[in-house]
Amino acid sequence: MNRPLTLFDKVWNRHEILQGADGASLLWVDRHLVHEGSHHAFRKLDERGLTVAEPSLTFGVVDHYAPTRSRDRITDPDIRRMISTLTDNTQRHGIRCFGLNDPAQGIVHVVGPEQGLTLPGLLINCGDSHTSTHGAFGAIAFGIGATEVAHVLATQTVWQTRPKGMRIRIEGALGPGVGAKDIALGWIADLGSDGARGHAIEYAGPVVEALSMEGRMTLCNLSIEGGARCGMIAADAVTLNYLKGRPFAPRDAGWDEAAETWLDLASDKDAKFDREVVLDAAAIAPVVTWGTSPEDAVPITGRVPTPGNESENAGIRDAIDYMGLTPGRPLAGTPVDQVFIGSCTNARIEDLRAAAAVLSGRHAKVPGIVSPGSALVKAQAEQEGLDRIFIEAGLDWVASGCSMCVGMNGDTVAPGKRCASTTNRNFKGRQGKGARTHLMSPAMVAAAAVHGALADVRPLLEGRDWA
């Protein structure tokens, strides 16, 4: 009898072309997503006189350098050059590009799913760490470096060493004001930034099954921050409902056949994982980071850690110093200078609705930016009147792009300033040189805006529908 297989096993096996002497596998790539950072890879192709092997399987997206304001008059020459280079490279090679003025432009990890380019059972690569987002659809998706991007462009294949399997089950039910971002930051804080290193994670259990696709994408997006190679969730009715009718999704009889195949990819009942982790949803509270790594996180009711004198605590002391915090003090009440709602982690329509539920009828005490994950998300939010809620609260409603997550497009946090952010990384200088970033959910960022300080969102949600 064949051994029971995991979701990851089934998808990997379908893409393995051959195995090298060193144990690495050559895998077929179904979707290759490129953004402005791909210019190195295209240059390698030009130097060798090569062309893109499968232009119809490659898609370009302007996102990292996309200005969120005044797109018709970009004054920064570096930004102009990066965008025009991607446009030129994709045009020369016959690649579909969601350019700056495309009505479907947005962040690559938002555009892929909403266009139906991301489908269950696929292997997806992109030169970006948070490609793991696409695993929410039952796909194997991981980021690759510039050399690998060139290899995929030239051959539509990638070499990869097979990771171990890890399953994270979340049992029970989430409490009010708690969502996917809190689950992710919670497990990363518990297991550490290397807690899943060398593993492909499958998220499972009743809490995961109850999540929307937006929530599932947030959960898989942050897998990389816990050291995982990728994160995955098996396709189910929620997945099918999201994908049906998307521009690049199968249609008519092809849809029925594809849907049946996708559902069969779920892990077999007795499939074995190299590691199993079980979390109790009732123990998860709204989470906020205090340091300079996503693992530096505690519930909003917690305190800044108090490091001892041991040398191994040097990193903790350094993070606290950089963040300008006082050991042992409660995190709640820490003043913030500004807020940001956006990024490939939390800029989908559900994220904006959650933040708007908190901000409706209230005024922000600090300035901030709300950048939707795509032009389509922006249009939908405006149809629902969410933009008016943000604007009336005193926040800036801007165009779609990576915006303040990476600080390479004009949107930055000034040195020494503190930002409550829905992004995925709080590394030193991530949002700008000397910037101090606290990661949290969209609802928690909205609470920080209302209070002008880090705050527990739960009291602000009483009597309001936020889900």
Side-chain angles (χ1 to χ4, degrees):
M1 293 180 62
N2 294 329
R3 69 177 179 86
L5 299 175
T6 67
L7 164 64
F8 179 86
D9 291 333
K10 293 180 181 181
V11 179
W12 179 281
N13 292 347
R14 289 172 179 233
H15 291 82
E16 190 174 53
I17 299 169
L18 57 86
Q19 193 171 103
D22 61 354
S25 297
L26 185 67
L27 305 172
W28 177 259
V29 178
D30 297 297
R31 297 284 187 272
H32 188 202
L33 309 174
V34 296
H35 51 69
E36 303 95 313
S38 63
H39 61 94
H40 300 291
F42 280 104
R43 187 170 65 248
K44 287 179 182 293
L45 261 63
D46 292 341
E47 291 170 351
R48 300 178 185 181
L50 301 174
T51 59
V52 175
E54 296 285 349
S56 65
L57 302 182
T58 303
F59 297 85
V61 179
V62 173
D63 60 359
H64 281 59
Y65 284 84
T68 60
R69 301 176 176 89
S70 304
R71 288 186 168 179
D72 57 336
R73 53 181 192 280
I74 302 174
T75 58
D76 189 316
D78 292 330
I79 291 176
R80 283 203 311 270
R81 185 184 68 256
M82 292 297 288
I83 293 174
S84 64
T85 299
L86 176 65
T87 303
D88 293 344
N89 282 330
T90 52
Q91 285 180 347
R92 285 192 301 110
H93 291 278
I95 295 169
R96 167 74 163 97
C97 183
F98 297 88
L100 195 61
N101 298 312
D102 192 298
Q105 178 271 337
I107 304 172
V108 64
H109 307 314
V110 177
V111 171
E114 72 182 8
Q115 289 296 313
L117 294 169
T118 303
L119 298 171
L122 300 188
L123 192 146
I124 302 170
N125 284 153
C126 177
D128 185 89
S129 301
H130 297 99
T131 306
S132 54
T133 306
H134 305 263
F137 293 82
I140 292 178
F142 53 88
I144 54 178
T147 300
E148 291 172 307
V149 170
H151 189 279
V152 176
L153 288 173
T155 69
Q156 204 57 35
T157 63
V158 66
W159 284 99
Q160 192 73 191
T161 301
R162 189 177 192 133
K164 295 179 180 179
M166 177 178 181
R167 180 162 56 188
I168 297 181
R169 291 185 57 85
I170 303 105
E171 303 285 354
L174 297 173
V178 180
K181 186 69 166 284
D182 304 299
I183 297 172
L185 290 176
W187 83 252
I188 293 169
D190 287 344
L191 302 183
S193 60
D194 286 330
R197 186 165 299 282
H199 291 77
I201 298 174
E202 179 176 340
Y203 297 98
V207 172
V208 174
E209 293 167 6
L211 289 176
S212 65
M213 287 312 302
E214 289 86 353
R216 295 178 186 189
M217 283 186 267
T218 295
L219 191 55
C220 288
N221 174 278
L222 286 160
S223 300
I224 187 70
E225 306 306 334
R229 191 68 184 104
C230 63
M232 301 179 76
I233 297 172
D236 58 12
V238 177
T239 318
L240 301 186
N241 289 338
Y242 179 95
L243 287 173
K244 193 167 188 179
R246 301 281 174 178
F248 288 88
R251 295 182 178 276
D252 304 321
W255 168 263
D256 295 332
E257 181 181 352
E260 183 178 354
T261 300
W262 295 341
L263 296 177
D264 284 343
L265 291 173
S267 292
D268 294 331
K269 182 180 179 180
D270 297 323
K272 301 297 183 184
F273 292 82
D274 297 288
R275 188 177 182 190
E276 295 260 14
V277 175
V278 179
L279 304 178
D280 178 10
I284 303 173
V287 175
V288 60
T289 60
W290 54 264
T292 54
S293 167
E295 70 177 337
D296 299 336
V298 295
I300 184 60
T301 53
R303 295 174 177 270
V304 179
T306 302
N309 295 321
E310 299 86 354
S311 59
E312 60 263 28
N313 287 329
I316 296 177
R317 288 195 298 273
D318 179 64
I320 292 173
D321 289 343
Y322 178 85
M323 292 297 292
L325 298 173
T326 302
R329 291 288 300 275
L331 270 170
T334 302
V336 299
D337 299 294
Q338 61 199 98
V339 300
F340 174 66
I341 298 171
S343 84
C344 63
T345 310
N346 284 125
R348 299 173 182 84
I349 192 64
E350 180 182 89
D351 301 310
L352 301 184
R353 288 172 182 157
V358 177
L359 287 165
S360 180
R362 294 174 171 138
H363 191 77
K365 291 184 177 180
V366 294
I369 293 176
V370 182
S371 177
S374 72
L376 294 179
V377 171
K378 186 173 188 287
Q380 182 177 354
E382 290 171 352
Q383 289 173 356
E384 296 180 12
L386 303 184
D387 60 320
R388 298 311 313 167
I389 292 175
F390 295 126
I391 292 169
E392 290 169 6
L395 302 181
D396 291 340
W397 177 250
V398 300
S400 56
C402 292
S403 186
M404 200 178 281
C405 180
V406 288
M408 58 179 61
N409 42 53
D411 296 340
T412 59
V413 176
K417 297 297 183 181
R418 190 179 306 280
C419 182
S421 180
T422 65
T423 51
N424 42 54
R425 285 181 172 163
N426 52 344
F427 300 165
K428 293 180 180 180
R430 171 75 174 183
Q431 291 190 292
K433 185 176 181 180
R436 293 167 171 169
T437 301
H438 293 273
L439 305 179
M440 63 200 78
S441 72
M444 282 286 286
V445 169
V450 171
H451 286 279
L454 302 181
D456 193 333
V457 70
R458 289 173 290 191
L460 295 178
L461 289 172
E462 293 178 2
R464 299 192 178 205
D465 182 11
W466 78 284

PDB file of all heavy atoms in Angstrom, residues 240-265:
ATOM      1  N   LEU A 240     -12.840  27.509  -2.863  1.00  0.00           N
ATOM      2  CA  LEU A 240     -13.554  27.463  -4.137  1.00  0.00           C
ATOM      3  C   LEU A 240     -14.452  28.680  -4.316  1.00  0.00           C
ATOM      4  O   LEU A 240     -14.520  29.263  -5.408  1.00  0.00           O
ATOM      5  CB  LEU A 240     -14.381  26.176  -4.236  1.00  0.00           C
ATOM      6  CG  LEU A 240     -13.612  24.847  -4.124  1.00  0.00           C
ATOM      7  CD1 LEU A 240     -14.550  23.672  -4.386  1.00  0.00           C
ATOM      8  CD2 LEU A 240     -12.440  24.811  -5.078  1.00  0.00           C
ATOM      9  N   ASN A 241     -15.134  29.073  -3.255  1.00  0.00           N
ATOM     10  CA  ASN A 241     -16.015  30.239  -3.338  1.00  0.00           C
ATOM     11  C   ASN A 241     -15.244  31.511  -3.658  1.00  0.00           C
ATOM     12  O   ASN A 241     -15.732  32.386  -4.379  1.00  0.00           O
ATOM     13  CB  ASN A 241     -16.785  30.414  -2.028  1.00  0.00           C
ATOM     14  CG  ASN A 241     -17.844  29.344  -1.824  1.00  0.00           C
ATOM     15  OD1 ASN A 241     -18.288  28.723  -2.784  1.00  0.00           O
ATOM     16  ND2 ASN A 241     -18.217  29.110  -0.579  1.00  0.00           N
ATOM     17  N   TYR A 242     -14.035  31.609  -3.134  1.00  0.00           N
ATOM     18  CA  TYR A 242     -13.200  32.781  -3.409  1.00  0.00           C
ATOM     19  C   TYR A 242     -12.727  32.790  -4.862  1.00  0.00           C
ATOM     20  O   TYR A 242     -12.719  33.844  -5.516  1.00  0.00           O
ATOM     21  CB  TYR A 242     -11.996  32.794  -2.466  1.00  0.00           C
ATOM     22  CG  TYR A 242     -11.044  33.957  -2.689  1.00  0.00           C
ATOM     23  CD1 TYR A 242     -11.146  35.121  -1.935  1.00  0.00           C
ATOM     24  CD2 TYR A 242     -10.043  33.896  -3.662  1.00  0.00           C
ATOM     25  CE1 TYR A 242     -10.295  36.191  -2.139  1.00  0.00           C
ATOM     26  CE2 TYR A 242      -9.181  34.960  -3.877  1.00  0.00           C
ATOM     27  CZ  TYR A 242      -9.303  36.105  -3.120  1.00  0.00           C
ATOM     28  OH  TYR A 242      -8.452  37.161  -3.336  1.00  0.00           O
ATOM     29  N   LEU A 243     -12.331  31.647  -5.382  1.00  0.00           N
ATOM     30  CA  LEU A 243     -11.695  31.584  -6.688  1.00  0.00           C
ATOM     31  C   LEU A 243     -12.668  31.588  -7.869  1.00  0.00           C
ATOM     32  O   LEU A 243     -12.319  32.056  -8.958  1.00  0.00           O
ATOM     33  CB  LEU A 243     -10.825  30.320  -6.780  1.00  0.00           C
ATOM     34  CG  LEU A 243      -9.522  30.324  -5.987  1.00  0.00           C
ATOM     35  CD1 LEU A 243      -8.867  28.955  -6.050  1.00  0.00           C
ATOM     36  CD2 LEU A 243      -8.568  31.394  -6.513  1.00  0.00           C
ATOM     37  N   LYS A 244     -13.860  31.076  -7.675  1.00  0.00           N
ATOM     38  CA  LYS A 244     -14.775  30.910  -8.809  1.00  0.00           C
ATOM     39  C   LYS A 244     -15.087  32.252  -9.465  1.00  0.00           C
ATOM     40  O   LYS A 244     -15.450  33.219  -8.812  1.00  0.00           O
ATOM     41  CB  LYS A 244     -16.070  30.248  -8.350  1.00  0.00           C
ATOM     42  CG  LYS A 244     -16.929  29.765  -9.516  1.00  0.00           C
ATOM     43  CD  LYS A 244     -18.037  28.849  -9.061  1.00  0.00           C
ATOM     44  CE  LYS A 244     -18.751  28.237 -10.264  1.00  0.00           C
ATOM     45  NZ  LYS A 244     -19.828  27.318  -9.837  1.00  0.00           N
ATOM     46  N   GLY A 245     -14.892  32.302 -10.772  1.00  0.00           N
ATOM     47  CA  GLY A 245     -15.170  33.513 -11.526  1.00  0.00           C
ATOM     48  C   GLY A 245     -13.998  34.476 -11.634  1.00  0.00           C
ATOM     49  O   GLY A 245     -14.115  35.507 -12.302  1.00  0.00           O
ATOM     50  N   ARG A 246     -12.882  34.182 -10.975  1.00  0.00           N
ATOM     51  CA  ARG A 246     -11.704  35.054 -11.087  1.00  0.00           C
ATOM     52  C   ARG A 246     -11.181  35.017 -12.526  1.00  0.00           C
ATOM     53  O   ARG A 246     -11.305  33.986 -13.212  1.00  0.00           O
ATOM     54  CB  ARG A 246     -10.612  34.616 -10.115  1.00  0.00           C
ATOM     55  CG  ARG A 246     -11.026  34.630  -8.634  1.00  0.00           C
ATOM     56  CD  ARG A 246     -10.991  36.012  -8.047  1.00  0.00           C
ATOM     57  NE  ARG A 246     -11.531  36.043  -6.679  1.00  0.00           N
ATOM     58  CZ  ARG A 246     -11.583  37.119  -5.926  1.00  0.00           C
ATOM     59  NH1 ARG A 246     -11.111  38.273  -6.399  1.00  0.00           N
ATOM     60  NH2 ARG A 246     -12.104  37.085  -4.716  1.00  0.00           N
ATOM     61  N   PRO A 247     -10.574  36.097 -13.008  1.00  0.00           N
ATOM     62  CA  PRO A 247     -10.176  36.182 -14.419  1.00  0.00           C
ATOM     63  C   PRO A 247      -9.359  35.010 -14.948  1.00  0.00           C
ATOM     64  O   PRO A 247      -9.593  34.537 -16.065  1.00  0.00           O
ATOM     65  CB  PRO A 247      -9.385  37.489 -14.464  1.00  0.00           C
ATOM     66  CG  PRO A 247      -9.984  38.324 -13.388  1.00  0.00           C
ATOM     67  CD  PRO A 247     -10.336  37.362 -12.294  1.00  0.00           C
ATOM     68  N   PHE A 248      -8.386  34.507 -14.175  1.00  0.00           N
ATOM     69  CA  PHE A 248      -7.516  33.446 -14.668  1.00  0.00           C
ATOM     70  C   PHE A 248      -7.888  32.066 -14.127  1.00  0.00           C
ATOM     71  O   PHE A 248      -7.182  31.087 -14.400  1.00  0.00           O
ATOM     72  CB  PHE A 248      -6.056  33.758 -14.316  1.00  0.00           C
ATOM     73  CG  PHE A 248      -5.462  34.874 -15.126  1.00  0.00           C
ATOM     74  CD1 PHE A 248      -5.593  36.197 -14.712  1.00  0.00           C
ATOM     75  CD2 PHE A 248      -4.787  34.617 -16.307  1.00  0.00           C
ATOM     76  CE1 PHE A 248      -5.048  37.248 -15.451  1.00  0.00           C
ATOM     77  CE2 PHE A 248      -4.244  35.649 -17.060  1.00  0.00           C
ATOM     78  CZ  PHE A 248      -4.380  36.972 -16.636  1.00  0.00           C
ATOM     79  N   ALA A 249      -8.984  31.965 -13.384  1.00  0.00           N
ATOM     80  CA  ALA A 249      -9.417  30.673 -12.852  1.00  0.00           C
ATOM     81  C   ALA A 249     -10.106  29.856 -13.947  1.00  0.00           C
ATOM     82  O   ALA A 249     -10.629  30.413 -14.910  1.00  0.00           O
ATOM     83  CB  ALA A 249     -10.371  30.889 -11.679  1.00  0.00           C
ATOM     84  N   PRO A 250     -10.100  28.519 -13.824  1.00  0.00           N
ATOM     85  CA  PRO A 250     -10.801  27.679 -14.812  1.00  0.00           C
ATOM     86  C   PRO A 250     -12.287  28.038 -14.870  1.00  0.00           C
ATOM     87  O   PRO A 250     -12.863  28.544 -13.900  1.00  0.00           O
ATOM     88  CB  PRO A 250     -10.598  26.260 -14.266  1.00  0.00           C
ATOM     89  CG  PRO A 250      -9.396  26.344 -13.390  1.00  0.00           C
ATOM     90  CD  PRO A 250      -9.430  27.715 -12.781  1.00  0.00           C
ATOM     91  N   ARG A 251     -12.906  27.734 -15.999  1.00  0.00           N
ATOM     92  CA  ARG A 251     -14.320  28.062 -16.186  1.00  0.00           C
ATOM     93  C   ARG A 251     -15.093  26.859 -16.717  1.00  0.00           C
ATOM     94  O   ARG A 251     -14.512  25.915 -17.253  1.00  0.00           O
ATOM     95  CB  ARG A 251     -14.477  29.240 -17.150  1.00  0.00           C
ATOM     96  CG  ARG A 251     -13.894  30.542 -16.626  1.00  0.00           C
ATOM     97  CD  ARG A 251     -14.123  31.694 -17.586  1.00  0.00           C
ATOM     98  NE  ARG A 251     -13.595  32.944 -17.049  1.00  0.00           N
ATOM     99  CZ  ARG A 251     -14.252  33.732 -16.210  1.00  0.00           C
ATOM    100  NH1 ARG A 251     -15.477  33.414 -15.833  1.00  0.00           N
ATOM    101  NH2 ARG A 251     -13.696  34.850 -15.757  1.00  0.00           N
ATOM    102  N   ASP A 252     -16.408  26.925 -16.550  1.00  0.00           N
ATOM    103  CA  ASP A 252     -17.333  25.932 -17.102  1.00  0.00           C
ATOM    104  C   ASP A 252     -16.944  24.522 -16.659  1.00  0.00           C
ATOM    105  O   ASP A 252     -16.705  24.303 -15.481  1.00  0.00           O
ATOM    106  CB  ASP A 252     -17.381  26.058 -18.629  1.00  0.00           C
ATOM    107  CG  ASP A 252     -17.763  27.473 -19.066  1.00  0.00           C
ATOM    108  OD1 ASP A 252     -18.634  28.070 -18.400  1.00  0.00           O
ATOM    109  OD2 ASP A 252     -17.180  27.972 -20.047  1.00  0.00           O
ATOM    110  N   ALA A 253     -16.857  23.583 -17.626  1.00  0.00           N
ATOM    111  CA  ALA A 253     -16.551  22.199 -17.253  1.00  0.00           C
ATOM    112  C   ALA A 253     -15.156  22.087 -16.658  1.00  0.00           C
ATOM    113  O   ALA A 253     -14.900  21.241 -15.789  1.00  0.00           O
ATOM    114  CB  ALA A 253     -16.666  21.294 -18.476  1.00  0.00           C
ATOM    115  N   GLY A 254     -14.259  22.968 -17.096  1.00  0.00           N
ATOM    116  CA  GLY A 254     -12.904  22.952 -16.553  1.00  0.00           C
ATOM    117  C   GLY A 254     -12.874  23.280 -15.078  1.00  0.00           C
ATOM    118  O   GLY A 254     -12.017  22.789 -14.335  1.00  0.00           O
ATOM    119  N   TRP A 255     -13.826  24.107 -14.630  1.00  0.00           N
ATOM    120  CA  TRP A 255     -13.899  24.457 -13.219  1.00  0.00           C
ATOM    121  C   TRP A 255     -14.261  23.236 -12.378  1.00  0.00           C
ATOM    122  O   TRP A 255     -13.635  22.967 -11.357  1.00  0.00           O
ATOM    123  CB  TRP A 255     -14.922  25.573 -12.990  1.00  0.00           C
ATOM    124  CG  TRP A 255     -15.221  25.764 -11.536  1.00  0.00           C
ATOM    125  CD1 TRP A 255     -16.267  25.245 -10.822  1.00  0.00           C
ATOM    126  CD2 TRP A 255     -14.415  26.476 -10.577  1.00  0.00           C
ATOM    127  NE1 TRP A 255     -16.179  25.597  -9.500  1.00  0.00           N
ATOM    128  CE2 TRP A 255     -15.061  26.348  -9.323  1.00  0.00           C
ATOM    129  CE3 TRP A 255     -13.237  27.210 -10.671  1.00  0.00           C
ATOM    130  CZ2 TRP A 255     -14.553  26.947  -8.169  1.00  0.00           C
ATOM    131  CZ3 TRP A 255     -12.723  27.789  -9.515  1.00  0.00           C
ATOM    132  CH2 TRP A 255     -13.374  27.660  -8.289  1.00  0.00           C
ATOM    133  N   ASP A 256     -15.268  22.491 -12.792  1.00  0.00           N
ATOM    134  CA  ASP A 256     -15.716  21.328 -12.021  1.00  0.00           C
ATOM    135  C   ASP A 256     -14.600  20.296 -11.895  1.00  0.00           C
ATOM    136  O   ASP A 256     -14.389  19.715 -10.822  1.00  0.00           O
ATOM    137  CB  ASP A 256     -16.946  20.693 -12.686  1.00  0.00           C
ATOM    138  CG  ASP A 256     -18.157  21.615 -12.665  1.00  0.00           C
ATOM    139  OD1 ASP A 256     -18.244  22.453 -11.740  1.00  0.00           O
ATOM    140  OD2 ASP A 256     -19.011  21.511 -13.568  1.00  0.00           O
ATOM    141  N   GLU A 257     -13.900  20.066 -12.990  1.00  0.00           N
ATOM    142  CA  GLU A 257     -12.803  19.101 -12.968  1.00  0.00           C
ATOM    143  C   GLU A 257     -11.675  19.576 -12.059  1.00  0.00           C
ATOM    144  O   GLU A 257     -11.120  18.790 -11.275  1.00  0.00           O
ATOM    145  CB  GLU A 257     -12.291  18.884 -14.390  1.00  0.00           C
ATOM    146  CG  GLU A 257     -11.168  17.867 -14.475  1.00  0.00           C
ATOM    147  CD  GLU A 257     -10.673  17.685 -15.901  1.00  0.00           C
ATOM    148  OE1 GLU A 257     -11.298  18.239 -16.829  1.00  0.00           O
ATOM    149  OE2 GLU A 257      -9.650  16.992 -16.084  1.00  0.00           O
ATOM    150  N   ALA A 258     -11.337  20.861 -12.183  1.00  0.00           N
ATOM    151  CA  ALA A 258     -10.268  21.406 -11.347  1.00  0.00           C
ATOM    152  C   ALA A 258     -10.644  21.362  -9.874  1.00  0.00           C
ATOM    153  O   ALA A 258      -9.820  20.979  -9.029  1.00  0.00           O
ATOM    154  CB  ALA A 258      -9.959  22.840 -11.771  1.00  0.00           C
ATOM    155  N   ALA A 259     -11.867  21.747  -9.540  1.00  0.00           N
ATOM    156  CA  ALA A 259     -12.304  21.774  -8.142  1.00  0.00           C
ATOM    157  C   ALA A 259     -12.209  20.396  -7.506  1.00  0.00           C
ATOM    158  O   ALA A 259     -11.778  20.247  -6.345  1.00  0.00           O
ATOM    159  CB  ALA A 259     -13.729  22.303  -8.057  1.00  0.00           C
ATOM    160  N   GLU A 260     -12.577  19.379  -8.252  1.00  0.00           N
ATOM    161  CA  GLU A 260     -12.499  18.011  -7.726  1.00  0.00           C
ATOM    162  C   GLU A 260     -11.049  17.626  -7.440  1.00  0.00           C
ATOM    163  O   GLU A 260     -10.743  17.027  -6.408  1.00  0.00           O
ATOM    164  CB  GLU A 260     -13.123  17.041  -8.733  1.00  0.00           C
ATOM    165  CG  GLU A 260     -13.161  15.604  -8.249  1.00  0.00           C
ATOM    166  CD  GLU A 260     -13.824  14.661  -9.243  1.00  0.00           C
ATOM    167  OE1 GLU A 260     -14.352  15.146 -10.266  1.00  0.00           O
ATOM    168  OE2 GLU A 260     -13.827  13.433  -8.992  1.00  0.00           O
ATOM    169  N   THR A 261     -10.168  17.988  -8.361  1.00  0.00           N
ATOM    170  CA  THR A 261      -8.737  17.693  -8.180  1.00  0.00           C
ATOM    171  C   THR A 261      -8.171  18.437  -6.978  1.00  0.00           C
ATOM    172  O   THR A 261      -7.413  17.872  -6.178  1.00  0.00           O
ATOM    173  CB  THR A 261      -7.958  18.089  -9.440  1.00  0.00           C
ATOM    174  OG1 THR A 261      -8.460  17.349 -10.558  1.00  0.00           O
ATOM    175  CG2 THR A 261      -6.470  17.817  -9.274  1.00  0.00           C
ATOM    176  N   TRP A 262      -8.542  19.699  -6.841  1.00  0.00           N
ATOM    177  CA  TRP A 262      -8.022  20.511  -5.745  1.00  0.00           C
ATOM    178  C   TRP A 262      -8.410  19.952  -4.376  1.00  0.00           C
ATOM    179  O   TRP A 262      -7.591  19.902  -3.460  1.00  0.00           O
ATOM    180  CB  TRP A 262      -8.545  21.943  -5.875  1.00  0.00           C
ATOM    181  CG  TRP A 262      -8.063  22.662  -7.087  1.00  0.00           C
ATOM    182  CD1 TRP A 262      -6.970  22.349  -7.855  1.00  0.00           C
ATOM    183  CD2 TRP A 262      -8.670  23.809  -7.693  1.00  0.00           C
ATOM    184  NE1 TRP A 262      -6.857  23.239  -8.905  1.00  0.00           N
ATOM    185  CE2 TRP A 262      -7.874  24.141  -8.822  1.00  0.00           C
ATOM    186  CE3 TRP A 262      -9.776  24.590  -7.397  1.00  0.00           C
ATOM    187  CZ2 TRP A 262      -8.183  25.223  -9.655  1.00  0.00           C
ATOM    188  CZ3 TRP A 262     -10.087  25.671  -8.214  1.00  0.00           C
ATOM    189  CH2 TRP A 262      -9.295  25.973  -9.337  1.00  0.00           C
ATOM    190  N   LEU A 263      -9.659  19.518  -4.247  1.00  0.00           N
ATOM    191  CA  LEU A 263     -10.125  19.013  -2.959  1.00  0.00           C
ATOM    192  C   LEU A 263      -9.440  17.695  -2.592  1.00  0.00           C
ATOM    193  O   LEU A 263      -9.273  17.382  -1.410  1.00  0.00           O
ATOM    194  CB  LEU A 263     -11.649  18.838  -2.984  1.00  0.00           C
ATOM    195  CG  LEU A 263     -12.458  20.126  -3.150  1.00  0.00           C
ATOM    196  CD1 LEU A 263     -13.951  19.823  -3.230  1.00  0.00           C
ATOM    197  CD2 LEU A 263     -12.192  21.107  -2.008  1.00  0.00           C
ATOM    198  N   ASP A 264      -9.023  16.943  -3.613  1.00  0.00           N
ATOM    199  CA  ASP A 264      -8.344  15.668  -3.367  1.00  0.00           C
ATOM    200  C   ASP A 264      -6.902  15.846  -2.877  1.00  0.00           C
ATOM    201  O   ASP A 264      -6.265  14.876  -2.476  1.00  0.00           O
ATOM    202  CB  ASP A 264      -8.326  14.822  -4.648  1.00  0.00           C
ATOM    203  CG  ASP A 264      -9.674  14.186  -4.939  1.00  0.00           C
ATOM    204  OD1 ASP A 264     -10.505  14.124  -4.017  1.00  0.00           O
ATOM    205  OD2 ASP A 264      -9.893  13.778  -6.096  1.00  0.00           O
ATOM    206  N   LEU A 265      -6.396  17.082  -2.923  1.00  0.00           N
ATOM    207  CA  LEU A 265      -5.019  17.326  -2.497  1.00  0.00           C
ATOM    208  C   LEU A 265      -4.856  17.386  -0.979  1.00  0.00           C
ATOM    209  O   LEU A 265      -3.735  17.428  -0.475  1.00  0.00           O
ATOM    210  CB  LEU A 265      -4.511  18.641  -3.106  1.00  0.00           C
ATOM    211  CG  LEU A 265      -4.298  18.655  -4.617  1.00  0.00           C
ATOM    212  CD1 LEU A 265      -3.965  20.073  -5.084  1.00  0.00           C
ATOM    213  CD2 LEU A 265      -3.201  17.685  -5.025  1.00  0.00           C
TER     214      LEU A 265
END
